[in-house]
Amino acid sequence: MTDATSVRVRTSFRRAAFLVLTTLATLATLPMALLARPAPKPGKPAAEPTPAAKRKALLAASPGTLPEAVETRVRRLEVAWSRAQAMGLLKGPEWQESVREGRQQLLEKAYLDGRPGHPGMTEEQVRAAFLAQGDQRRVSHLLCATEAEATAALKRLQAGEAFDQVAAEVSKDLSAAVNRGDLGWVRQKELVAAFSTPVFAGTIGDLVGPIKTEFGWHVAKTREVRSPQLDDFQAHREALLKQAADAQLAVKRDRALADLRKRYPLKPDLSVLGADRTTEPLPGDEARVAGKVAGATISLKALKRHLAEVLKTMGQSHSLGAATKAQFMEGLADPIRLAAAAQKEGLDRRPETSSALWVDERERAYTAFSRTFLAGLEVPEADLQRVYTTYPDRFRPVGTLRLQVLVADSKDRVDEALNRIRVGLAWRTAVESYGSAEATGDPEPGWVEVESLRRLVPPSLLQPMLAGPLGQPLGPMLGPDGFMLFNVLERRPGPVPPLAECRDAVRADYLKEKGRILVEQELDGVLAHPHTNRRSRR
């Protein structure tokens, strides 16, 4: 179990501020709302609003935009819509899915805007809540399975050994191999009470422990202390005000859903959910119905995408049963319920909602046109060479990984090992308990060339190894000697490849910087010269 899920209940500085705001607003967590796939007819395109309504809707979406910029945006949206239609981009499942996503989001907002709720927090209240959060401490910590192990670690620290070194060696917290026991800056209310009370009672430099919690035995040390200051609030003002508004919206959302979940119950297909235990996309997933709600269907493809986002481990086996998957699917069902309730009240026919839907469709068409236009754009070689020579480190790939590996003889054993590692079992202990000693080899971390891994590991698993969080178990996959788990602890960059070998990455980097301007130039050129075909960068 990682630091974030064992010792503390927090994710970041912003989450810390959010927790204080939520206690004042009595908020429940906002459920994740990813795209679902309704089965009924996709519906008619949004009706054409008046020019004034278009401008008003754009201003509502982007407050503070200058009037002349709004006019320019309207013209570009209309040209992009026409170009996208001519290119055949505004039809087919992907486009309909995108339009439904936007429609759900806007109808949900329209429905919640009409619900009663408490007045939002003022800036003064948000500032007072921030300043009242209390001290933050930078804490180091290690976690042991037994009191005897924690006592032995404490004695080593009292004898003068470095905390980070001892934590890396003995802590059963998986993240200790990466962060060497550093929890970062935390507040007392972010931690479980059994741990936070003795830690925050100490002073800087004190060694505290052994401390018993539900997760095991801990030893901790406070490195620094700081108090919230007005300058800190100013630095994060916009984020904190947004969090306060989000907290108020979450209260309204949960209250509304308490009734709507009864009115529109989710009907999962447990046979479909139980047949595939992974988030790996498979052909035909879009046609398999995982569940139904409010007259709409949720495809297995949509559910897998949702699970992959929630679990952050695309392509891995999660050993999730059908009932558990059905619970996760509620996060997809909620926005469908809210959209259905809005439509039943006729909110989609209100002029302001219709205008917002029109803008949303045009913005999505703009994105579809931009993506297709840039994909076919010819970028001059001189521009590619300039980007490559100016920013070579942007194209330097990961060369080697410091890995831990576990190889088990059966799928059942590797799944059990993975589940126990996720709840805190030390990697070495997992290897000893579940691994094949001959196939696993040395359980200590070792450096492995990425190129050698490409021949063994599928892309769906290699990608999180190269770019995902460190210190998280990845897998399982079936290898030549059994079922394999990996734990990436560190990455080292490799050499910069020749331009010919990274041309696509260089081109993507160039278009990331210049793409918006090039699209705008193309659309403005069409406005000025409607019969000209412009396909290369000028």
Side-chain angles (χ1 to χ4, degrees), residues 152-427:
L154 177 62
K155 290 180 178 178
R156 290 177 59 183
L157 296 170
Q158 291 170 334
E161 291 191 50
F163 200 109
D164 58 351
Q165 183 62 41
V166 177
E169 289 180 12
V170 307
S171 182
K172 77 170 189 174
D173 192 316
L174 284 177
S175 64
V178 178
N179 62 28
R180 307 176 79 82
D182 186 0
L183 292 180
W185 290 97
V186 294
R187 288 189 171 88
Q188 185 167 359
K189 64 181 63 179
E190 299 166 31
L191 310 171
V192 294
F195 179 84
S196 65
T197 300
V199 169
F200 275 73
T203 59
I204 296 177
D206 284 351
L207 290 169
V208 182
I211 305 166
K212 179 70 170 69
T213 74
E214 60 188 292
F215 307 108
W217 292 86
H218 310 259
V219 177
K221 179 180 181 178
T222 296
R223 296 186 177 277
E224 300 177 70
V225 178
R226 68 183 182 191
S227 300
Q229 302 296 324
L230 185 58
D231 288 347
D232 298 326
F233 173 81
Q234 291 301 132
H236 299 276
R237 176 180 174 276
E238 294 302 323
L240 292 167
L241 293 177
K242 183 179 184 303
Q243 288 162 5
D246 288 347
Q248 181 67 17
L249 180 62
V251 172
K252 294 175 70 173
R253 191 177 195 270
D254 282 343
R255 287 176 178 170
L257 285 169
D259 172 63
L260 294 179
R261 286 174 183 144
K262 299 175 184 176
R263 189 189 310 176
Y264 303 116
L266 174 65
K267 299 177 181 178
D269 189 326
L270 298 180
S271 63
V272 172
L273 298 182
D276 185 348
R277 304 177 72 88
T278 76
T279 59
E280 184 75 33
L282 297 174
D285 280 350
E286 66 278 0
R288 301 179 68 189
V289 177
K292 298 180 180 180
V293 61
T297 61
I298 298 174
S299 71
L300 184 60
K301 178 181 178 180
L303 177 59
K304 284 185 174 182
R305 186 162 51 195
H306 180 58
L307 287 171
E309 175 64 24
V310 172
L311 300 169
K312 300 295 185 184
T313 46
M314 173 66 80
Q316 299 170 49
S317 169
H318 305 294
S319 300
L320 297 179
T324 302
K325 284 186 176 181
Q327 292 176 354
F328 277 108
M329 193 161 37
E330 291 287 355
L332 289 171
D334 284 342
I336 299 175
R337 294 174 172 123
L338 290 162
Q343 195 161 351
K344 186 174 182 180
E345 293 186 5
L347 300 183
D348 55 329
R349 298 189 295 273
R350 289 183 176 178
E352 61 271 23
T353 306
S354 180
S355 297
L357 289 169
W358 183 92
V359 169
D360 184 77
E361 284 188 9
R362 267 62 185 174
E363 291 285 4
R364 291 173 188 275
Y366 188 102
T367 299
F369 165 74
S370 299
R371 184 169 54 245
T372 303
F373 170 73
L374 293 175
L377 195 68
E378 297 177 12
V379 179
E381 185 70 18
D383 286 339
L384 296 177
Q385 187 66 47
R386 176 183 57 80
V387 173
Y388 175 76
T389 55
T390 305
Y391 310 106
D393 285 342
R394 293 182 182 178
F395 316 110
R396 190 186 302 276
V398 176
T400 55
L401 300 173
R402 191 162 73 95
L403 286 175
Q404 291 174 310
V405 180
L406 183 154
V407 184
D409 293 329
S410 71
K411 184 66 165 56
D412 289 342
R413 287 185 64 78
V414 80
D415 282 343
E416 185 176 350
L418 177 60
N419 290 332
R420 291 201 59 194
I421 289 170
R422 284 175 172 164
V423 297
L425 184 67
W427 192 273

Side-chain angles (χ1 to χ4, degrees), residues 20 126-135 187 189 228:
V20 171
V126 175
R127 181 170 58 246
F130 173 79
L131 296 175
Q133 290 180 99
D135 290 343
R187 288 189 171 88
K189 64 181 63 179

